[in-house]
Amino acid sequence: MNIMNEIRGCRPFPVDKDRQERCRRVLDGYGMTITELAMHLGVSKQYVGEVISGKRLSESAETRIAQFLGFSRTQLFPLRTAEEIARMRQAEAAEKAMLEKKKEERMEMRRRALEGAA
C-alpha cells in the first residue's frame, strides 16, 4: 500500500511543527511570506498554510510548493509514519489540554477578583 494512502486514513492530521518550521526557514530565506507563495501558485493562503502545516496532505500541492522553492517534495515535506502522526496528535492534545487548563485558571482568577470587588 502507498504510504500516502496509509497516512490519509489518519485524519484529521495534526500540525507537523518540524515541517512547518522547515518551510518557514525556506520562505524566510527567499524573503517570502505564505501569502506571497500562495499568490505565485494561484491558490489561497489558507490552502498553502494547511499544506505547509501538514493539516492537508496533497502530493500535487506539496510538489508544486517544493518545486517553486527549488526543492524535491521529500526534502521539504518528508513522509511521516502512522506512529509519527500518532505522536504529533498526542503532543497536540497535550498542548490543547494545557491551554484549556490555563484558560480555566484565568477564569477562576477573574471570578475571584470580581467577588472581591463586590
Side-chain angles (χ1 to χ4, degrees):
M1 178 190 300
N2 178 326
I3 189 73
M4 285 296 281
N5 289 336
E6 182 179 322
I7 291 173
R8 285 185 204 287
C10 297
R11 287 186 183 268
F13 303 121
V15 171
D16 186 333
K17 293 187 186 238
D18 291 336
R19 171 180 167 135
Q20 213 172 24
E21 181 57 32
R22 184 180 310 104
C23 289
R24 288 197 196 282
R25 282 194 311 266
V26 170
L27 287 172
D28 286 347
Y30 282 105
M32 184 181 289
T33 65
I34 289 176
T35 302
E36 292 167 330
L37 176 60
M39 287 181 359
H40 283 291
L41 297 174
V43 295
S44 73
K45 174 187 173 186
Q46 179 181 352
Y47 182 76
V48 171
E50 288 176 356
V51 171
I52 286 175
S53 72
K55 298 229 21 119
R56 180 186 296 249
L57 295 183
S58 168
E59 288 181 57
S60 62
E62 291 169 359
T63 300
R64 285 182 65 206
I65 292 169
Q67 286 178 343
F68 182 82
L69 297 172
F71 292 86
S72 73
R73 184 177 143 260
T74 54
Q75 283 177 306
L76 200 55
F77 303 109
L79 292 176
R80 300 296 187 188
T81 65
E83 292 81 19
E84 288 173 314
I85 290 174
R87 281 194 300 275
M88 286 186 284
R89 194 173 281 130
Q90 287 173 339
E92 198 171 68
E95 185 175 345
K96 183 178 179 181
M98 181 191 67
L99 291 173
E100 188 62 33
K101 182 179 178 184
K102 285 183 178 182
K103 179 181 173 183
E104 289 173 12
E105 289 170 355
R106 285 191 308 271
M107 294 299 289
E108 180 61 23
M109 287 173 57
R110 287 183 188 133
R111 185 187 61 75
R112 281 191 234 143
L114 289 172
E115 287 175 356

